[in-house]
Amino acid sequence: MRKIAFITGATAGFGKASAYIFAANGYDLIINGRRIEKLQTLADEIERKYNVAVLQLPIDVQIEKAVFSSIENIPEDWKAIDVLINNAGLALGRDYFDEADMNDWNTMIDTNVKGFLYVGKAVSKLMAIRKQGHIINLGSVAGKQVYEKGNVYCATKYAVDAISQSMRIDLLRHNIKVTSINPGAADTEFSIVRFKGDEPTAKSIYNGLKPLTAEDVAEVIYYCTTLPAHVCINDLTLSCLQQANAIYFNRQTS
Ligand code: NDP
Ligand code: 8X3
């Protein structure tokens, strides 16, 4: 039977790695991201390699109207979405509360909270009609503990945690699974985005660590979708072996 996965933020990192693993397991994909060329390249590669269909949704999740109209207007035969990976998100800056940039705060809130809500709402409406579906929300260890200079990024991930809990309650009557996945440090484009292209600083985040890879996280995401229909992983936190939580690391110094 046909299976469809909708992945936001599929042009890099966890979203892109998830696109490969879901396609390898026979899912047709709806892929989202703002970088159109990267979406096109990913769609071409996946269609060629896995013989599945790929629909591109090149929208900015911050734009409420674009999210709702593009999801309402996806072709009818793509509306039976089985899995949503609500993943698009970012950190911008790592600054003291009193020194942080308001544009960074606004963009993180608009993407990680508002965009995340828009996509979740639009897709859950489609799942509610069919009384089935699985929503996987990308939280973070930063939504479990707050760290210095994490302020608003952490707050957005605490919001993801809270919204995941309420989605699970409110969507219970529709038979929809809601899983919150909370990774620790993972080597993707995340840090280069956070530090605005400053590669040495971005790399220093992983000093002395063997961090998670995008593929590690995608495997765990996929695993959550393989359980029997009556079983739901509600909340799953994962990190590399050298990370205990958002704050404590065992870095190798030699
Ligand atoms: P990447 O930077 O590698 O990928 C982020 C993806 O989000 C890109 O595809 C980007 O695409 C997309 N994106 C960002 N903003 C928007 C937007 N406004 N509209 C649509 N797409 C957008 O990061 P990760 O894969 O590491 O992160 C994915 C998620 O996981 C995020 O929510 C992040 O907060 C979370 N996370 C990351 C961790 C890490 O250490 N890497 C750990 C824990 C959680 P494009 O630029 O083309 O729009
Ligand atoms: C990303 C993990 O610890 O860099 O959510 O904030 S962290």
Side-chain angles (χ1 to χ4, degrees):
M1 208 171 75
R2 187 181 189 204
K3 297 177 291 185
I4 299 175
F6 179 179
I7 305 170
T8 65
T11 55
F14 305 158
K16 185 175 177 184
S18 297
Y20 279 100
I21 196 163
F22 278 80
N25 285 283
Y27 278 80
D28 288 339
L29 301 180
I30 304 173
I31 53 171
N32 156 261
R34 292 163 301 176
R35 286 170 292 176
I36 292 170
E37 338 69 60
K38 286 193 180 283
L39 270 188
Q40 185 64 55
T41 307
L42 180 65
D44 291 346
E45 270 182 30
I46 283 182
E47 281 175 337
R48 193 169 343 109
K49 196 163 174 197
Y50 299 108
N51 195 28
V52 296
V54 181
L55 181 70
Q56 298 175 47
L57 221 59
I59 52 159
D60 183 334
V61 299
Q62 295 173 87
I63 304 170
E64 180 181 346
K65 276 198 178 129
V67 172
F68 284 102
S69 73
S70 65
I71 294 174
E72 273 158 25
N73 290 314
I74 57 175
E76 283 306 317
D77 58 333
W78 281 91
K79 284 190 171 163
I81 296 165
D82 296 288
V83 178
L84 165 66
I85 304 174
N86 204 354
N87 162 76
L90 77 178
L92 283 174
R94 190 151 171 182
D95 303 296
Y96 286 118
F97 185 84
D98 52 311
E99 293 173 356
D101 182 323
M102 286 307 297
N103 290 326
D104 289 350
W105 281 6
N106 285 326
T107 305
M108 287 189 283
I109 291 167
D110 288 349
T111 309
N112 301 0
V113 182
K114 294 171 79 177
F116 165 84
L117 282 169
Y118 304 150
V119 173
K121 182 162 195 305
V123 174
S124 63
K125 282 191 92 167
L126 295 177
M127 290 177 169
I129 294 167
R130 298 172 61 230
K131 297 278 178 218
Q132 72 178 76
H134 192 165
I135 297 176
I136 299 192
N137 293 328
L138 263 294
S140 169
V141 292
K144 300 290 182 182
Q145 286 97 25
V146 174
Y147 53 81
E148 186 181 53
K149 301 178 180 174
N151 45 68
V152 169
Y153 177 68
C154 294
T156 65
K157 292 300 176 180
Y158 271 77
V160 168
D161 191 58
I163 295 162
S164 295
Q165 292 181 49
S166 31
M167 286 169 89
R168 200 172 298 117
I169 296 165
D170 290 348
L171 300 176
L172 202 54
R173 71 197 198 286
H174 296 307
N175 244 3
I176 297 171
K177 295 186 185 186
V178 179
T179 299
S180 167
I181 303 274
N182 311 298
D187 191 1
T188 61
E189 291 181 8
F190 176 84
S191 281
I192 198 81
V193 170
R194 180 173 219 170
F195 296 108
K196 303 167 186 172
D198 173 354
E199 287 197 23
T201 305
K203 279 207 175 88
S204 72
I205 295 299
Y206 311 111
N207 276 350
L209 291 181
K210 183 176 174 163
L212 295 173
T213 64
E215 289 72 25
D216 294 330
V217 176
E219 267 188 45
V220 170
I221 291 172
Y222 181 70
Y223 168 73
C224 292
T225 67
T226 60
L227 298 170
H230 68 289
V231 180
C232 180
I233 293 180
N234 293 334
D235 188 78
L236 190 156
T237 299
L238 72 153
S239 66
C240 70
L241 182 58
Q242 292 169 275
Q243 180 171 14
N245 62 19
I247 299 155
Y248 289 99
F249 293 86
N250 175 28
R251 295 183 193 269
Q252 295 306 117
T253 45
S254 58

